Amino acid sequence: MIEKTVTLENISLIDFLGVANKTIDTLAAAFPKSRIISRGNQIHIKGSTSEIVQIDDILASLIEHYHKYGKVTEENVQNYISHEQEMMLPENQQPADDIILYGTKGNPIKPKTVNQQKLVDAVKENDLVFALGPAGTGKTYISVALAVRALKNKSVKKIIITRPAVEAGENLGFLPGDLKEKIDPYLRPIYDGLNDMIPFEKLRYYMEREIIEIAPLAYMRGRTLNNAFILLDEAQNTTPMQMKMFLTRMGPDSKMIVTGDASQIDLPSRQSSGLKEAIRILRDVRGIGMVELNEKDVVRHRLVRDIIEAYHREANDIR
């Protein structure tokens, strides 16, 4: 058992705690194994590490809610408790060794091929991992799942997912909307993966507070990304300068996964790929993992594997 004290500063206690400390009573009912006591402007918590982390997260959300809306209701407390508990597995459903996490429909999300397992192992052992392979090999999906698990386990404070704004045969300038609206369709696979893994309301909560951030690569310039799980997808479409910029954003207590397919480069013909250059320069650097997936790892329709193999044969014949 450990203890933690949360101090309420610049907060009306009646508006935050409710009549007869209703907020604390509701919290205590949700976490019966922990002890939660309000004294003046301090809330004292005593319990297991995992429950204290959850209670502290809920209180932080409630404090942020109070400063935004000026009041906390019992319904607010129940909603934040529900959001937090949705992210935690029941004790009798703890993941098996090969399960990364359980999806929103209760389905286990886990590596399905040997190379996908190598990716999971590489991320465990390294803070920076390159995952290379063709479409359909699950490299992005597994990477998103690892990021969500790290957030659930409190290993990181936020997830940042980015892609270069290079479009396959289209011109973003002619599309309607601001940059985010223009780039969102290219980030659709990321949103689809997150929707499989995080309940809709919780995902919206995370994105509104930038706990999960999905943005074009250009938004990374000038930042230091601390205590975050960072994923660069479609990295074959970065320029060497963009790739170096991205890799040097990495801050303390962070992990990075870079995914890409060197056979699907959409850059202008005279522009070299930052992914190819990074692999060549960094291949022998200790602490950087590199995992290569291939057509045998394709987990989409069986024809996708045959299509990839056919294109490989054609490319080899041309050479």
Side-chain angles (χ1 to χ4, degrees):
M1 301 283 280
I2 62 171
E3 298 183 25
K4 181 178 178 65
T5 298
V6 176
T7 301
L8 305 176
E9 298 179 348
N10 301 318
I11 289 176
S12 164
L13 298 184
I14 187 63
D15 289 331
F16 186 87
L17 298 175
V19 177
N21 280 359
K22 189 62 178 178
T23 295
I24 301 303
D25 291 344
T26 305
L27 264 177
F31 297 94
K33 294 181 181 179
S34 297
R35 188 180 181 194
I36 310 172
I37 298 173
S38 171
R39 289 178 182 157
N41 70 333
Q42 292 187 327
I43 300 173
H44 302 277
I45 315 163
K46 185 175 182 180
S48 66
T49 301
S50 61
E51 285 208 345
I52 283 185
V53 168
Q54 292 178 71
I55 295 166
D56 189 45
D57 279 354
I58 293 166
L59 285 172
S61 298
L62 289 171
I63 290 170
E64 183 179 348
H65 181 98
Y66 171 85
H67 285 303
K68 187 173 182 179
Y69 299 106
K71 189 175 182 180
V72 169
T73 67
E74 185 179 357
E75 183 181 0
N76 299 147
V77 180
Q78 291 286 8
N79 285 340
Y80 286 114
I81 290 172
S82 297
H83 285 159
E84 185 68 24
Q85 291 181 338
E86 281 172 355
M87 297 295 291
M88 306 302 293
L89 288 173
E91 291 182 5
N92 62 353
Q93 260 194 343
Q94 290 303 310
D97 288 344
D98 62 338
I99 295 176
I100 300 172
L101 76 162
Y102 285 89
T104 53
K105 297 179 180 178
N107 55 304
I109 296 172
K110 60 183 180 179
K112 296 181 178 180
T113 69
V114 171
N115 286 329
Q116 287 184 4
Q117 183 61 56
K118 286 181 180 178
L119 173 55
V120 173
D121 294 339
V123 173
K124 188 183 300 182
E125 296 167 4
N126 302 278
D127 287 338
L128 171 59
V129 174
F130 288 82
L132 316 170
T137 53
K139 58 188 184 296
T140 298
Y141 195 80
I142 293 294
S143 298
V144 172
L146 291 169
V148 172
R149 181 175 69 178
L151 185 64
K152 285 186 176 184
N153 292 344
K154 318 297 181 185
S155 301
V156 297
K157 290 185 177 179
K158 68 184 303 181
I159 295 172
I160 300 170
I161 304 176
T162 185
R163 274 184 168 184
V166 174
E167 62 281 14
E170 299 180 15
N171 191 325
L172 287 176
F174 289 98
L175 295 176
D178 59 21
L179 180 57
K180 183 181 183 303
E181 291 169 333
K182 290 177 180 181
I183 200 67
D184 268 358
Y186 300 95
L187 297 167
R188 192 69 253 169
I190 304 296
Y191 288 110
D192 290 344
L194 289 169
N195 283 323
D196 283 351
M197 301 168 198
I198 302 175
F200 175 77
E201 288 297 327
K202 187 67 172 181
L203 179 57
R204 185 172 67 176
Y205 170 87
Y206 278 156
M207 296 190 70
E208 285 175 352
R209 288 156 180 79
E210 296 187 344
I211 296 170
I212 295 179
E213 180 181 353
I214 306 175
L217 181 59
Y219 286 15
M220 301 299 109
R221 188 173 300 278
R223 300 175 61 181
T224 300
L225 308 175
N226 299 333
N227 209 339
F229 200 115
I230 311 141
L231 169 61
L232 170 58
D233 195 36
E234 300 289 348
Q236 73 274 4
N237 289 327
T238 60
T239 65
M241 185 179 297
Q242 286 174 327
M243 176 62 77
K244 183 179 178 183
M245 178 275 292
F246 173 77
L247 295 176
T248 54
R249 299 307 93 200
M250 191 175 187
D253 302 314
S254 290
K255 277 188 177 287
M256 274 187 177
I257 303 180
V258 177
T259 69
D261 176 6
S263 70
Q264 294 289 326
I265 296 173
D266 297 317
L267 293 166
S269 57
R270 294 183 179 180
Q271 178 66 67
S272 59
S273 168
L275 178 63
K276 285 187 171 182
E277 180 182 270
I279 293 167
R280 176 177 57 81
I281 294 173
L282 303 175
R283 183 171 291 278
D284 298 323
V285 175
R286 291 183 61 186
I288 297 178
M290 297 207 182
V291 179
E292 295 190 24
L293 300 96
N294 55 48
E295 60 272 9
K296 295 179 181 178
D297 300 295
V298 171
V299 292
R300 294 180 182 171
H301 193 285
R302 63 173 182 81
L303 280 176
V304 176
R305 182 182 303 176
D306 296 339
I307 290 167
I308 293 170
E309 288 178 345
Y311 271 92
H312 281 177
R313 287 195 300 270
E314 174 70 14
N316 291 333
D317 289 343
I318 293 173
R319 292 194 191 104

